[in-house]
Amino acid sequence: MSYRYQRRYCGPLQAVILDWAGTVVDFGSFAPTQVLIDAFAGFDIEVTMEEARVPMGLAKWDHIQALGRLPTVAARWQARFGRAMQTEDVDALYARFMPLQLERVGQYSALIPGALECIAQLRSRGLKVGTCSGYPRQVMDRLLPIAAAAGYQPDCTVAADDLPAGGRPGPWMALENVVRLGISDVAACVKVDDTVPGIAEGLAAGMWTVGLSASGNEVGLTHAQWQALSEGERKARRLPAAEKLYQAGAHYVIDSIAELPTVIERIEERLAAGERP
């Protein structure tokens, strides 16, 4: 007779792992999208904001490659250059993208309303705050002091090119946070993100996942634009964004990080009851 030992983590949450643009800073996630549009424009290729948002959440080299493979963008590239986009073209676009992103990331990096209050509540519960991003390390090194000056200093930050395994939708950046923060079980972590690859990352790492609809890439409005909408207009924008994140596997979807503390309480109740992500 054989026995299988099954252990379920029933302790408290230990960490929240947050994305950056569209999650804690840059309501509407404009820094990466607008710069990508401008990088392609440097090659005489028009890319719309809607197209630029499709692969959001991937590491930026991968994002450029995926954007170039969209049928509409691929057709424009073929018409302009007489061939499909090649790896060396992605390299050239990335080389154009990087200095623009470094120059402009600060312009779009205001903290999302309620972020600091949320972080304070998380810390008061004893939670560690980890982060990861589709941004490369060069951009994160520019963004971190800007965020610190605004009062946001996470315990850990992993950039898309920090790890040899790569970035999203794989679990590696989220798991690197687990290692660096000294977390005892992945079920004690909550991954918070506004993109489908970011939700996939959290699920692949075995974590609880929370999607952000209004503040992130899926709605794609500035905070002022969001506030100016009627409640009916917000609902019309929110529902398809939330559905997309739920379809990706998010355990919860909320408008913005400001609502996260309430969800944290619910997840801890589920953990105490023996549930796992």
Side-chain angles (χ1 to χ4, degrees):
M1 181 180 296
S2 62
Y3 296 90
R4 184 176 68 174
Y5 175 72
Q6 186 174 17
R7 171 184 172 274
R8 288 187 177 276
Y9 179 80
C10 299
L13 289 173
Q14 299 176 32
V16 174
I17 300 171
L18 304 168
D19 177 46
W20 281 82
T23 298
V24 182
V25 300
D26 188 6
F27 196 106
S29 197
F30 284 92
T33 47
Q34 187 57 56
V35 174
L36 282 164
I37 289 169
D38 293 343
F40 272 82
F43 289 76
D44 295 325
I45 301 294
E46 179 184 355
V47 172
T48 68
M49 181 63 75
E50 291 74 20
E51 289 167 335
R53 290 188 181 281
V54 172
M56 188 61 72
L58 299 177
K60 293 303 169 250
W61 193 97
D62 297 330
H63 189 148
I64 291 168
Q65 183 183 59
L67 189 51
R69 289 174 175 173
L70 290 180
T72 50
V73 178
R76 289 177 213 136
W77 189 276
Q78 182 73 38
R80 172 69 177 83
F81 295 106
R83 56 176 173 77
M85 183 183 290
Q86 308 296 317
T87 298
E88 55 267 26
D89 299 319
V90 181
D91 290 337
L93 281 159
Y94 187 78
R96 170 68 176 166
F97 164 84
M98 277 299 297
L100 292 174
Q101 188 70 93
L102 289 167
E103 176 187 336
R104 300 183 193 173
V105 66
Q107 298 175 20
Y108 298 95
S109 294
L111 290 171
I112 288 172
L116 285 183
E117 294 81 358
C118 171
I119 300 300
Q121 290 186 56
L122 298 179
R123 292 198 185 282
S124 73
R125 299 177 71 94
L127 297 175
K128 296 178 180 179
V129 178
T131 67
C132 53
S133 177
Y135 283 140
R137 173 53 59 181
Q138 280 184 279
V139 177
M140 288 312 308
D141 286 346
R142 185 71 59 91
L143 179 54
L144 282 166
I146 295 172
Y152 176 49
Q153 292 181 283
D155 300 312
C156 176
T157 298
V158 181
D161 58 350
D162 280 351
L163 305 174
R168 300 165 183 155
W172 306 290
M173 290 194 295
L175 293 176
E176 182 68 12
N177 273 270
V178 171
V179 172
R180 294 186 189 181
L181 295 173
I183 306 304
S184 66
D185 195 300
V186 292
C189 297
V190 181
K191 175 69 203 307
V192 184
D193 207 291
D194 63 300
T195 67
V196 167
I199 296 299
E201 172 190 27
L203 294 173
M207 300 176 179
W208 301 92
T209 59
V210 179
L212 304 177
S213 56
S215 71
N217 182 66
E218 296 304 329
V219 167
L221 298 177
T222 67
H223 185 253
Q225 290 169 334
W226 175 254
Q227 291 294 101
L229 297 180
S230 68
E231 186 51 45
E233 290 169 327
R234 289 185 192 177
K235 183 177 181 181
R237 295 271 193 157
R238 178 190 294 117
L239 287 179
E243 180 62 22
K244 188 171 182 179
L245 292 165
Y246 275 127
Q247 286 294 323
H251 295 93
Y252 298 90
V253 177
I254 54 181
D255 276 1
S256 78
I257 193 173
E259 301 172 26
L260 184 60
T262 300
V263 174
I264 294 298
E265 293 178 4
R266 294 175 186 166
I267 293 174
E268 290 210 311
E269 290 171 359
R270 293 177 67 177
L271 271 174
E275 292 189 53
R276 288 186 68 88

